[in-house]
Amino acid sequence: MKKITNLKEFACTPDRFQGGHRLCPGCAHGMIVREVVNATDDDLVISTATGCLEVCSAIYPYTSWDVSWLHIGFENAAAGISGAEAMYKALSRKNRSYNPDKNVKFVAFGGDGGTYDIGFQSLSGATERGHDFLYVCLDNEGYMNTGGQRSSSTPVGAHTTTSPRGRVSYGEKNRKKDLTMIMAAHGCPYVATAVPGTKHWKDLATKAAKAISTVGPTFINALSPCTTEWKFKPEDTTEIADLAVETCMFPLYEIEDGHKLTITYRPKQKIPVEEYLGRQGRFAHLFKPENKWVIEEIQKQIDEYWEYLQRREEAGV
Amino acid sequence: MLQIRWHSRAGQGAVTGAKALADVMARTGKYVQAYSVYGAEKRGAPMSAYDKIDDKPILDHSKWMTPDYVLVIDPSLVFQEEIVDNTKDDTIFIVTSHMNKDDLLNIAKHLQGKKLYVVDAIKISQEEIGRAIPNTPMLGAFMKISQLIPFEDFLVSIKDILSKFPQKIIDGNIRAIKRAYEEVK
Amino acid sequence: MAERYELKSKEVWDGNTAASHALRQAQVDVVAAYPITPSTPIVQNYAQFLADGYVDGEFVMVESEHSAMSACVGAAAAGGRVATATSSQGYALMVEVLYQASGMRLPIVMTVVNRALASPLNIHGDHGDLYLGRDAGWIHLIANNPQEAYDMTLCAFKIAEDERVRLPVTTNQDGFLVSHTAQVVEPLQDEVAYKFIGDYKPMNPMLDTKNPQTYGAQTEEEWHFEFKASQHKALMESSKVIDEVFAEFEKVSGRKYNRVESYKIEDADVAIVVMGSAYETAMVAVERAREEGIKAGLVMPRSFRPFPYNEIAEKLRNVKAIAALDRSCPMGAMGALYNEVSGALSANGQSAIMTNYIFGLGGRDTTVEHILEVIKETDKNAKAGKRVTDLQGFINLRGPKLSFN
Amino acid sequence: MATPKDMMTTWDKIQPGAVLPSFEDPEHKVRSKFNSFNYKVADWRVEKPVFNRDLCIDCDFCWVSCPDSCFIVEEVENKRGKKQAKIVGINYNLCKGCGVCVDVCPTPIKSLLMFPEFMDNEEALKQWPTKDDKK
C-alpha cells in the first residue's frame, strides 16, 4: 500500500491521468481520477463506463491515460474489468505474465448512471464473484454526459431535465439510492465515500490506496460536483464538495468487511443544508416559499441519516 | 438403417440410455445418432428419445422416423396410443410393465397384434440399482430381443461407458441389465 | 498444467460435448459464460473439466450474457485466449457487446447453439440468433453435426487469432438437432489439437502495463467510417485465412472443409441453398430426387460471414432454378440467404430463377420428404424457364399457403 | 474538427480496433502523439491563471485540485532530505482556465490569480496585488 503522508510528497507522483482531456473546466472527475490513479505505485488496468469521463478522456485519436484503459459500454465497466482481472490471474498461473516483476491492480470508474442504474447488475455480479478490483463511482447525481437527466442518485428536490421544476413540481421526488450501503451489504472487504478537493484530499487518497491494496472487490463512492448541471461557477467545485461534507449531505465514512463502519470526518458544527443547496442552481426553486418544506424535509433526512451513521459507528457491530 | 424409439418420462434416463446404446454400437464400427425430443417440461413429463444405427454416416437430422423398435420404459406410457405412431407391421415393442403380456394386451388394445415383449424394468432397477431408473435394464432386454451384438461384448462396452460412476452403481446396473436380459418375455 | 484428457479415436458425442472438448483443447485462458438452453451443457462441461483439472484457465461465471461478453472483451483486450458459449435470448442480450468485441478487433471465440428468439418463447433450434448477429462484424461459421461443431471450434481459434484477421468468430450448430444429438465424432488428441491451434499471439495487450494501451476510444464522424471500413476489409480478407486454416486442418484431421460446401452440384439443374443440419437432411433428399430423375444439387455457405459471394455464384453457374432455405422468419422481407444468393448471382451476371423457403422455425421438423417437395417445386421453375411457383414458401407450416407476394 | 491535419489518416492506415498506445517509447516514457498530453485545450480559456513563484509556499493544493493535470512539478529535497514537490509553472496547453487553483490557493496574497487570456505573464506579475492593496 502506497504511503500517503503529506501533499508535498504526494505531489511528487508522476501523473498517470493526463490533461488535454475534454472534461468541462472545473470538473471534479479530473480531480478524483487523478488522486485515485496516483494513490498506488502498482501498475494499473482501468475500465470506464460510458459517461463524461469516458467520452472526454479517449476521444480518438487521443487518450488521456498513461495506464492501460478499456471502455466497452455504459453498463459493463465492472464486467469488463472482471474479465481483465481473470486474464491476469490465468496468465500468472500459466507463467505467461507480461511483466512478472510488477503487480497489476484493477480499477473501474463509472458515473452514477453506470453504477447506480444501468451498470448496477454487472457491478453486483463482479463484486459477488470476488474479483480483485476497486470500483470508483464518480457520483454527480445525474446523467450529466447526456445533458443532466435524473438518475437514482439524484437527490430530492434537484432540478434535472427529466425531473424538472415546474409550476406544479419541485423537481426530483425520490430519495437518493444508498448505494454505498448496498455495496457494503455485498460483504465487500472495503467500501467508502469520498470527495475531491484540498480539505479532504488525504481522506480520498488514503481510501483509494487502501481500497486498491485490499484484496477483493472494493468500492468508493466519490461525490463529483458538476459545475455544468448543478449550476455553480467552475472555480467553486471544491467548495461545493466541502459543503456537502460539512452539511452532512454527503458524509465521509468507510465500512470494512461489510459491516464495520467508521466515520472518517466529523464536521465540528453541522452546517444547515441551505448553505449547500443555496450555492447550486439546481436547487434554486426550493427557496421559493411554496417549496420551503422540501428543504425542511431534506434537512430532516440528513439529520436522521447522520444520527444513524453515528449510532452505527458507536455500536461497532 | 436400424431405428429405435424410446418412450419415457423425463428423469427416467431415456436420453442417457439412447446415448449409451449409440455409444455401444459406435464401438462396433457403426454410425449412430442418438437424440431426444422434449419441451420445457420438468421431471415426470413424457418425452421420447431416438437411436439411429447404420453402416454409413447418418445424414437425416429430422426427428421423424419409422421405428424398428419401440422401447417404453415407463409403465404408464404403455397405455398411451402415441407409442404406436409411425410404426410398421414388424415393429417390435419392448415395454415396461408389472403385468404379463396377456393382461397388458387386454387393457392396452393399441398393442394388440404387435410384436410385444414385456419386462418389469422398474422393479428390476429398484431392486438392483436402488432407484427407478429403468434405462439400463431396458438395454438388457433390448439386447436379448434384438441380438444386435453378442451380450458379452455389450457388457464390456457398457461397463466402460458406466466407468465414471462409483463401483456400486456400476455393479447394480450390470445386475439389472443381466436380470432384464433373462426376464424379458 | 492442465491434465491430459484420454480420448478414444471415435467418441459418441453430442454437439455440446464436442464444442466443450474443443474449448478444453484450445487451453482457453478465460472463459466467461452464462448458461442458457440449449448451449448450457457446453458451460456445464467446461465447469466439470475445470473441477477435474483438465482446464487451468479462469472460468468466470458471470451474472448475465451481457456481462459474459463484456468480461470476454475485457479478458481479450487484457491479452489472452478467450471463449464463451450462448444461444438465443442470451445472444440477443449480448448483441451490444458483440459489436464492441469486433470493433476492438478481439479474437474471441463463441460457440453458439442456435435457438429461436421469443416471443413466443421457444427453446428449440432456428437461426434467429445467428441472423441477429450477422452484421455484428463477427465471422460466422456453420457446423452441421457434432463432428463439425468440434472441428469448426478448433478452426475458429486459429482463424480469429491470425494476425491478418483478429476478429471474433462464432461457430453455429443447430439447437437440439446437433447440440443434443449424439453422433460419432473423431476427435484429435489433446496435443495434436493444441499444436494445430498454436500458442496465443498477443497484440496490444492491456496487461503489458509497461506499454499501456487504450481500448474503446470514441470516434465520431471524423473517424468512425474509416474504422468500420477497415474492419469490413479485415472481415472480407479473412476468407483467405479461413481457406488456409481449413487446408491445414485437413492435414491433421483428414477432413476437408470449404467456405462453400456443395453436394452433386456439378451437373445439377435445380439447387437448394441451406445452412445447418438441414443441409445433411437435404443430401438425402437430393439422392431421392435424383432417383426420381431430377438433377438436384446442394450448396451451403460454411462461412455465413464473410459471405462467399463469388464462390457461391460459381457453384450455381449452371443451375436453372434455386431455392434458398432460410431458418429464420424474415419478417417483411425475403430470407437472408435468398438475398445474399440473389446478390451473388446478380453480381456475377447469372440469372437462375430464385425462390425462398422458410423452414424449421422454433424446431419445427423438416424431413427428407419436405425438402424433396421443395426440390420438385423448384424443378417446375427450372423446366418452365421462369418462376411458376410462389416467391416464398413455408415448409411444414399448418394453414393456407403463405407467400411474400 | 478535433484532429490536427497531420494526424488525419485513411482507413487503410489506422490502428486496428482504434487501439491507442499511450507511449511512443514506453521504456523511456516518451508519450505518443496519441497522448492527450500533446493536445491543446488552451483555446477553451477566457481567463488564465498566472503563477507567482515568489509568493508560493508549495502547499500543492493547486496540484491536487487541478482537474487538468496542469501544474508542473519539480521534485526537490527539503532540509531534512525528504523529497517534496515544488511547483514551477503551469502547462498552458492543458489549462482550461477553470480557476479552481486560484480558489484553493491559501497564501495571504494569492500566489495564483486569474488574468485576461491576452495579458502577458510578465505584465500580470507586475500588476500583482501587494499587502497594501485593499482586498
Side-chain angles (χ1 to χ4, degrees):
Chain A
M1 178 173 162
K2 180 164 171 168
K3 223 175 129 197
I4 313 286
T5 49
N6 57 57
L7 198 45
K8 286 182 197 298
E9 205 177 302
F10 188 50
C12 293
T13 313
D15 255 310
R16 301 206 267 190
F17 178 67
Q18 292 304 324
H21 57 68
R22 320 299 165 79
L23 289 163
C24 298
C27 178
H29 278 23
M31 307 178 191
I32 298 163
V33 169
R34 283 183 57 226
E35 276 209 61
V36 171
V37 296
N38 292 342
T40 177
D41 294 325
D42 288 329
D43 283 355
L44 285 176
V45 172
I46 286 177
S47 82
T48 300
T50 307
C52 289
L53 176 67
E54 171 267 321
V55 300
C56 295
S57 66
I59 299 177
Y60 194 87
Y62 290 103
T63 176
S64 301
W65 301 90
D66 281 4
V67 294
S68 284
W69 184 87
L70 167 74
H71 160 251
I72 310 175
F74 196 2
E75 65 282 60
N76 49 10
I81 205 72
S82 76
E85 186 257 8
M87 183 58 76
Y88 178 63
K89 278 199 276 201
L91 297 186
S92 302
R93 186 182 312 126
K94 294 180 173 193
N95 292 320
R96 278 168 46 213
S97 296
Y98 289 98
N99 301 311
D101 52 322
K102 289 293 277 186
N103 263 332
V104 181
K105 297 290 186 180
F106 298 85
V107 178
F109 289 105
D112 48 295
T115 308
Y116 281 68
D117 293 342
I118 197 169
F120 180 66
Q121 174 180 315
S122 89
L123 172 60
S124 178
T127 304
E128 169 273 322
R129 296 193 297 274
H131 294 280
D132 186 9
F133 74 115
L134 163 64
Y135 191 104
V136 180
C137 175
L138 302 164
D139 185 358
N140 54 21
E141 303 189 327
Y143 304 150
M144 303 329 190
N145 187 39
T146 43
Q149 296 81 33
R150 81 167 287 275
S151 76
S152 65
S153 170
T154 303
V156 169
H159 162 85
T160 73
T161 55
T162 52
S163 65
R165 46 153 171 56
R167 274 187 299 155
V168 295
S169 175
Y170 58 87
E172 174 62 26
K173 305 285 186 300
N174 302 302
R175 272 184 83 157
K176 181 181 168 104
K177 191 196 271 185
D178 193 354
L179 188 68
T180 315
M181 290 293 178
I182 295 170
M183 290 312 294
H186 281 73
C188 292
Y190 187 75
V191 159
T193 60
V195 292
T198 53
K199 193 163 182 185
H200 303 290
W201 76 268
K202 195 173 177 181
D203 182 77
L204 167 54
T206 308
K207 283 171 175 171
K210 201 167 166 179
I212 291 171
S213 63
T214 300
V215 175
T218 55
F219 178 79
I220 291 177
N221 200 4
L223 187 73
S224 184
C226 175
T227 150
T228 305
E229 299 296 342
W230 293 12
K231 297 179 174 58
F232 59 82
K233 286 185 290 191
E235 65 266 32
D236 290 347
T237 303
T238 65
E239 286 180 40
I240 299 291
D242 290 346
L243 275 171
V245 176
E246 295 298 328
T247 56
C248 293
M249 182 85 177
F250 196 84
L252 296 177
Y253 63 90
E254 60 186 17
I255 300 175
E256 286 163 298
D257 299 324
H259 62 90
K260 193 177 166 294
L261 186 145
T262 309
I263 295 171
T264 58
Y265 176 80
R266 216 174 291 270
K268 287 192 182 70
Q269 179 94 50
K270 196 167 57 166
I271 297 173
V273 74
E274 280 97 329
E275 294 284 323
Y276 174 71
L277 304 177
R279 292 286 294 272
Q280 306 169 48
R282 64 172 172 157
F283 295 115
H285 57 285
L286 297 185
F287 291 87
K288 286 184 186 169
E290 67 269 28
N291 289 334
K292 282 276 184 190
W293 67 272
V294 180
I295 299 184
E296 283 162 27
E297 183 59 33
I298 294 170
Q299 186 65 58
K300 195 169 145 250
Q301 287 173 4
I302 289 174
D303 293 345
E304 280 172 8
Y305 196 74
W306 180 239
E307 183 66 18
Y308 161 74
L309 285 181
Q310 295 187 95
R311 291 272 182 92
R312 195 169 148 181
E313 184 188 41
E314 277 163 30
V317 290
Chain B
M1 181 162 45
L2 187 69
Q3 303 181 93
I4 299 149
R5 190 171 74 205
W6 299 63
H7 293 272
S8 148
R9 293 193 178 276
Q12 287 176 332
V15 180
T16 314
K19 286 187 176 174
L21 176 59
D23 205 336
V24 168
M25 295 312 296
R27 287 161 194 245
T28 69
K30 299 276 188 191
Y31 289 92
V32 294
Q33 216 185 52
Y35 59 99
S36 51
V37 171
Y38 48 84
E41 300 98 329
K42 302 301 177 216
R43 201 151 54 86
M47 52 86 65
S48 47
Y50 301 78
D51 280 296
K52 294 177 192 169
I53 299 161
D54 207 351
D55 294 326
K56 55 184 197 299
I58 297 164
L59 298 171
D60 186 351
H61 286 273
S62 62
K63 293 171 230 176
W64 192 84
M65 68 157 58
T66 48
D68 300 293
Y69 288 88
V70 171
L71 314 179
V72 185
I73 70 170
D74 180 79
S76 68
L77 292 177
V78 175
F79 304 106
Q80 298 210 349
E81 292 186 18
E82 285 80 11
I83 63 172
V84 302
D85 284 355
N86 301 324
T87 52
K88 302 174 283 193
D89 290 344
D90 58 351
T91 298
I92 294 168
F93 290 76
I94 308 174
V95 305
T96 294
S97 182
H98 67 282
M99 289 187 256
N100 66 40
K101 204 188 288 186
D102 293 338
D103 290 348
L104 186 62
L105 283 174
N106 275 335
I107 310 170
K109 296 201 162 50
H110 52 287
L111 288 173
Q112 285 172 7
K114 305 283 181 192
K115 291 183 178 174
L116 177 67
Y117 297 90
V118 179
V119 63
D120 194 348
I122 292 283
K123 184 176 166 217
I124 292 172
S125 64
Q126 279 173 330
E127 287 178 3
E128 301 299 340
I129 307 167
R131 283 175 66 198
I133 307 291
N135 57 356
T136 46
M138 178 55 80
L139 283 176
F142 173 70
M143 277 298 139
K144 172 73 169 287
I145 306 305
S146 68
Q147 291 294 314
L148 214 51
I149 56 170
F151 191 52
E152 281 311 310
D153 293 357
F154 171 80
L155 287 176
V156 169
S157 292
I158 203 77
K159 272 181 199 161
D160 186 55
I161 290 165
L162 292 170
S163 63
K164 63 181 173 184
F165 291 105
Q167 195 57 44
K168 207 179 132 196
I169 302 286
I170 300 172
D171 293 345
N173 275 285
I174 297 298
R175 282 198 306 275
I177 289 166
K178 285 180 175 165
R179 249 186 82 181
Y181 188 87
E182 296 303 328
E183 290 179 16
V184 64
K185 280 176 192 150
Chain C
M1 264 299 277
E3 295 274 320
R4 188 179 179 281
Y5 199 103
E6 289 298 325
L7 292 173
K8 296 193 292 288
S9 62
K10 284 185 182 181
E11 295 279 354
V12 176
W13 282 346
D14 60 23
N16 279 328
T17 307
S20 55
H21 273 284
L23 295 186
R24 182 188 59 73
Q25 291 183 321
Q27 298 184 24
V28 182
D29 296 313
V30 173
V31 169
Y34 190 79
I36 179 169
T37 302
S39 62
T40 300
I42 298 179
V43 180
Q44 287 176 341
N45 292 344
Y46 197 79
Q48 193 63 51
F49 292 148
L50 185 83
D52 290 336
Y54 294 116
V55 161
D56 61 357
E58 281 288 308
F59 182 41
V60 188
M61 280 308 316
V62 284
E63 83 296 334
S64 71
E65 286 87 355
H66 195 284
S67 282
M69 188 45 64
S70 302
C72 283
V73 167
R81 184 166 290 156
V82 175
T84 186
T86 199
S87 297
S88 182
Q89 308 304 126
Y91 193 109
L93 187 55
M94 273 184 188
V95 165
E96 183 200 17
V97 198
L98 296 183
Y99 281 74
Q100 308 273 14
S102 62
M104 290 186 225
R105 307 288 300 274
L106 298 170
I108 298 162
V109 170
M110 175 155 79
T111 57
V112 180
V113 178
N114 298 119
R115 166 187 153 184
L117 288 166
S119 180
L121 190 64
N122 178 291
I123 59 166
H124 287 96
D126 71 30
H127 291 161
D129 45 13
L130 167 63
Y131 282 23
L132 181 63
R134 71 185 181 213
D135 291 346
W138 287 53
I139 293 168
H140 299 293
L141 303 176
I142 312 295
N144 299 336
N145 56 44
Q147 179 73 62
E148 293 181 5
Y150 171 82
D151 293 349
M152 285 303 119
T153 306
L154 292 182
C155 290
F157 285 101
K158 207 169 170 60
I159 295 163
E161 292 172 12
D162 190 287
E163 287 97 335
R164 295 164 290 173
V165 178
R166 297 307 273 204
L167 283 167
V169 181
T170 71
T171 61
N172 294 269
Q173 54 171 304
D174 285 345
F176 293 99
L177 294 180
V178 179
S179 69
H180 286 61
T181 298
Q183 291 191 256
V184 175
V185 175
E186 297 178 25
L188 303 179
Q189 290 304 309
D190 283 4
E191 53 281 357
V192 178
Y194 187 79
K195 196 172 164 230
F196 166 72
I197 297 171
D199 289 340
Y200 181 79
K201 295 177 279 290
M203 200 176 269
N204 306 322
M206 286 203 300
L207 282 173
D208 182 4
T209 43
K210 285 189 180 117
N211 188 9
Q213 305 290 335
T214 285
Y215 272 85
Q218 175 137 351
T219 63
E220 286 308 327
E221 54 88 19
E222 202 178 48
W223 284 104
H224 192 78
F225 202 173
E226 278 70 25
F227 278 108
K228 286 296 167 192
S230 136
Q231 188 185 334
H232 174 58
K233 172 82 166 166
L235 188 44
M236 288 194 299
E237 298 212 327
S238 67
S239 296
K240 185 171 178 290
V241 176
I242 296 170
D243 289 341
E244 285 173 23
V245 170
F246 283 170
E248 218 173 306
F249 188 73
E250 188 187 0
K251 279 185 207 151
V252 297
S253 69
R255 293 185 288 275
K256 182 168 172 52
Y257 293 107
N258 306 286
R259 277 184 298 115
V260 179
E261 303 289 2
S262 62
Y263 182 68
K264 302 208 166 168
I265 197 66
E266 290 72 21
D267 64 340
D269 294 327
V270 171
I272 300 284
V273 182
V274 65
M275 296 190 297
S277 58
Y279 176 80
E280 293 197 336
T281 310
M283 288 164 93
V284 184
V286 163
E287 288 295 334
R288 293 266 301 276
R290 283 182 174 258
E291 281 164 22
E292 295 182 26
I294 302 171
K295 279 199 212 162
L298 199 51
V299 170
M300 177 185 94
R302 167 90 50 204
S303 75
F304 183 49
R305 288 291 183 276
F307 195 83
Y309 281 93
N310 295 331
E311 294 81 354
I312 231 166
E314 182 56 36
K315 289 280 184 194
L316 296 168
R317 181 161 295 280
N318 298 318
V319 302
K320 297 189 177 84
I322 301 163
L325 274 56
D326 282 282
R327 195 168 193 161
S328 175
C329 196
M331 296 296 172
M334 304 297 282
L337 271 184
Y338 173 93
N339 288 332
E340 312 287 28
V341 172
S342 299
L345 297 183
S346 167
N348 286 277
Q350 294 165 232
S351 55
I353 301 152
M354 286 285 308
T355 46
N356 185 210
Y357 289 85
I358 307 302
F359 77 102
L361 300 191
R364 176 60 51 85
D365 202 16
T366 306
T367 63
V368 172
E369 287 296 331
H370 291 132
I371 298 172
L372 185 59
E373 191 57 34
V374 170
I375 293 173
K376 286 176 181 170
E377 280 194 20
T378 312
D379 188 47
K380 284 182 198 161
N381 292 337
K383 292 225 162 68
K386 61 175 185 179
R387 186 167 63 79
V388 293
T389 64
D390 286 343
L391 185 58
Q392 196 171 54
F394 290 73
I395 300 170
N396 199 11
L397 170 73
R398 290 190 301 277
K401 270 193 144 188
L402 181 60
S403 175
F404 189 72
N405 52 352
Chain D
M1 263 180 73
T3 310
K5 281 211 172 72
D6 63 323
M7 287 178 81
M8 286 297 246
T9 51
T10 50
W11 68 265
D12 49 332
K13 295 191 175 70
I14 49 179
Q15 310 97 302
V19 181
L20 295 163
S22 310
F23 297 103
E24 180 186 311
D25 177 358
E27 203 182 325
H28 299 99
K29 298 269 173 198
V30 179
R31 294 196 178 89
S32 71
K33 63 178 178 180
F34 305 110
N35 197 301
S36 72
F37 182 80
N38 294 315
Y39 183 74
K40 291 186 180 65
V41 287
D43 54 354
W44 291 32
R45 282 195 304 269
V46 180
E47 286 188 304
K48 66 177 173 184
V50 175
F51 174 56
N52 190 331
R53 181 60 251 179
D54 295 341
L55 297 169
C56 177
I57 57 168
D58 288 315
C59 70
D60 301 316
F61 278 5
C62 54
W63 177 84
V64 79
S65 55
C66 177
D68 294 284
S69 318
C70 298
F71 284 88
I72 304 167
V73 167
E74 214 173 79
E75 200 179 303
V76 295
E77 276 189 11
N78 70 7
K79 288 169 201 156
R80 283 169 291 166
K82 277 196 147 180
K83 67 170 186 178
Q84 65 172 59
K86 183 185 173 191
I87 307 290
V88 295
I90 296 167
N91 183 334
Y92 283 112
N93 285 343
L94 308 180
C95 173
K96 295 174 189 142
C98 68
V100 166
C101 54
V102 173
D103 194 73
V104 300
C105 183
T107 51
I109 301 170
K110 286 192 183 279
S111 37
L112 282 156
L113 284 172
M114 299 305 282
F115 286 92
E117 181 63 27
F118 55 80
M119 190 182 282
D120 190 72
N121 276 16
E122 296 294 320
E123 180 59 29
L125 286 167
K126 276 183 208 159
Q127 290 184 16
W128 214 272
T130 63
K131 271 183 209 163
D132 308 327
D133 290 341
K134 278 185 184 167
K135 287 205 168 166

